[in-house]
Amino acid sequence: MASEEAKTGKSMDAIMALCKRRGFIYQASEIYGGINGFWDYGPLGAQLKKNLRDAWWEDMIMRPCWGKNGPNGRPVRCVPLETRIIQHPKVWAASGHISGFNDPMVDDKETKQRFRADHLCGLYLREVASDGPPIGIQYQGFINDIREFRAGDPELTAVASTEGEALELLMPQLKKRFKGVDVSAHVEVEHDVQADIYIHDANQQRAWIAKLKMIPLALLKERIAYIKSPFSGKMGHLTDPRQFNLMFKTIVGATGTEDDTAYLRPETAQGVFVQFKNVVDTTRVKIPFGIGNTGTSFRNEVTPRNFTFRSREFEQAELEFFCHPDESFEWYKFWRDFRMDWWKSIGLAGDNLILREHEKDELSHYSVGTSDVEYRFPFTAPGFGELEGIAHRGCFDLTQHQQHSGAKMEYNDTERGEILPNGGRRGERYIPHCIEPAAGLDRGVLALICEAYSRDESRPSPEVMKFHPRIAPIKAAVFPLVAKEGMPEVADKLHAELSQRFWRQGAIEIDEKQSIGKRYARMDEAGCPYCFTIDGDTLTNQTVTVRDRDSGAQERIGIDKVAAFLTEKIGG
RNA sequence: GCGGGCGUAACUCAGUGGUAGAGUGACAGCCUUCCAAGCUGUACGUCGGGGGUUCGAAUCCCCUCGCCCGCUCCA
């Protein structure tokens, strides 16, 4: 805790206490003891999150990139879409989520590649010296090699779902090792769980050298440190096999059985890919264009922790931006940079926000580029936690769905191809590439809260939530300095006027209870940026004081200028 | 998943076998002409939950749930 504060100046315990006390975030099902990995938003948190979601929607869909041109020199075009949490189970088979997340998985710690533990095949090389048929002298060299390996430890490994596949993958390596010996011709697949591999000497004498087997889970668990990673080729680079059940199962239909199993989506993106063809066919969009989709997703996180950071139910704001393959890298860079600017614009400016380009070996097999927008949360400091990933997904997803569903995902680009005699274009058919800026709204809210939280011991109310005015859940408060001499009536009138004008953006509060200092303090904790106070002078000269949350400074403005002042500060 | 810590009022916490407390906050009233001021009063407790030991459990024991931290992990 102490080190946490030293690094960010902020205590997560204090932030969580404030979130509870002021109604930003509550534990889900708290009166029943809570439920692991789920959190609810209180009134202020719900409004804060709505403001964040609205900001995303406005800046990504309604007026993409604040009206800036894309790398093609034309305005960025995006349309919204709303797809279901529950999709046909085949969607998740096509996307790879079911196979990827329902079986014991092993990761290569170095290359970050993950694979099913039961797909790890290994060649077990035997102790040739102890038994087995004699082998010609010309092979002495590799026999010595073989002796270096202990029986039972897979020497060569591959990831494949059948032995046939594994053999294909491993044979080139075997040939390399047994240079000059024709190994492949003498592979005998005995049955579908293992294969024996032989070599032949010059006299056609056969010698058994290895057994290819799926590595049993028990062995994997016990000897994981001694098994070479099929990716890095090094021992000790594989994690223990672990059961991942990241997909949330559910059953569709009132009388449904296991046969009616469906899944709650782990990401909103697949709904967009699945409807890509419909959007193209029915809305006159032209590539390049984006499809945005916000909504709730579910993952059975292995370790939900760090307040709301890794919740099992969370909301995403994802844009799938489709473009021609040749232009995809330009768009990738464009979106990466814009998304960084966007987070800065709503208050995450400064050293706590970074853009991190993934290393090559960190990338998914289909991605040519991925960046994370990361925030230094108090609980990640001095490190950072991911807010948004901007991924170049290539044509992977559309291709997967084309293969699994049989639906053509090709786009007919009528602005490309050779020029025809009539001046038109022949057109070009291709599966578009996709750039995906995928933001976590709940993580965004948490980052905004952490960034906003500040303590100033010199103030009578030390805790202040310094939200950017655009996302602050309470936009303004109106106070009569004292609850008499006609001030409450003037305050009521101003409050009604401001509410009428700004209700879309957030709450406008009014408060006449207790001392003025206490009322300012309450608003500081809630993150309300501006307080307007009606005092004795108001009654004579029609001015009010505006108190700035962050500085505590006051200025006087005409009561009829308050709405204009707020418009300038909070937009709208 | 492993290890450690914690769980008592809305918040922060005291209470280690004998009548559940304090400060803050909230609410109401008085007062108050700019920063959690003062006075009076009020409300708020499954002591995380369940079981056990005991004449008696917030307190001791067992189980369980939740949160935090470290390791691990985060497609």
Side-chain angles (χ1 to χ4, degrees), chain A residues 508-529:
Chain A
I508 308 291
E509 300 267 290
I510 185 166
D511 192 355
E512 60 173 49
K513 295 290 184 184
Q514 317 240 345
S515 72
I516 189 73
K518 186 169 284 192
R519 283 177 276 164
Y520 285 145
R522 287 179 183 136
M523 286 300 135
D524 286 347
E525 269 192 352
C528 168

Side-chain angles (χ1 to χ4, degrees), chain A residues 71 91 111 144 152 180 201 218 226 294 314 327 332 353 384 394 436 461 501 511 531:
Chain A
V91 169
T111 68
N144 287 338
D201 64 14
Y226 303 105
T294 68
F314 57 99
E327 294 174 351
Y332 162 69
L353 192 74
F384 294 79
E436 176 192 84
S461 52
R501 172 72 180 74
D511 192 355
C531 296

Side-chain angles (χ1 to χ4, degrees), chain A residues 166-287:
Chain A
L167 280 176
E168 273 180 44
L169 290 166
L170 291 174
M171 204 48 70
Q173 297 183 58
L174 269 179
K175 283 179 174 173
K176 210 168 165 186
R177 181 174 293 282
F178 302 119
K179 244 192 170 107
V181 181
D182 183 12
V183 186
S184 61
H186 305 290
V187 168
E188 294 181 2
V189 178
E190 291 187 339
H191 50 82
D192 67 350
V193 295
Q194 63 179 49
D196 286 307
I197 299 173
Y198 301 87
I199 58 170
H200 283 238
D201 64 14
N203 303 319
Q204 292 299 301
Q205 280 189 295
R206 196 167 76 157
W208 180 87
I209 58 162
K211 189 177 280 291
L212 176 71
K213 283 183 85 166
M214 295 298 181
I215 298 174
L217 267 183
L219 177 64
L220 207 53
K221 277 177 186 155
E222 282 169 24
R223 316 200 65 167
I224 193 80
Y226 303 105
I227 293 174
K228 291 191 176 182
S229 164
F231 302 105
S232 67
K234 296 173 189 165
M235 287 196 297
H237 278 236
L238 297 179
T239 63
D240 288 339
R242 294 181 311 147
Q243 191 74 37
F244 281 75
N245 286 304
L246 284 153
M247 296 292 282
F248 265 80
K249 268 190 189 177
T250 189
I251 288 177
V252 174
T255 57
T257 65
E258 278 292 314
D259 294 341
D260 305 300
T261 293
Y263 302 91
L264 310 186
R265 68 183 170 201
E267 62 173 27
T268 56
Q270 296 306 323
V272 173
F273 294 124
V274 166
Q275 293 292 7
F276 169 77
K277 199 171 143 49
N278 271 338
V279 173
V280 168
D281 289 348
T282 59
T283 66
R284 305 189 69 221
V285 289
K286 283 185 174 177
I287 275 184

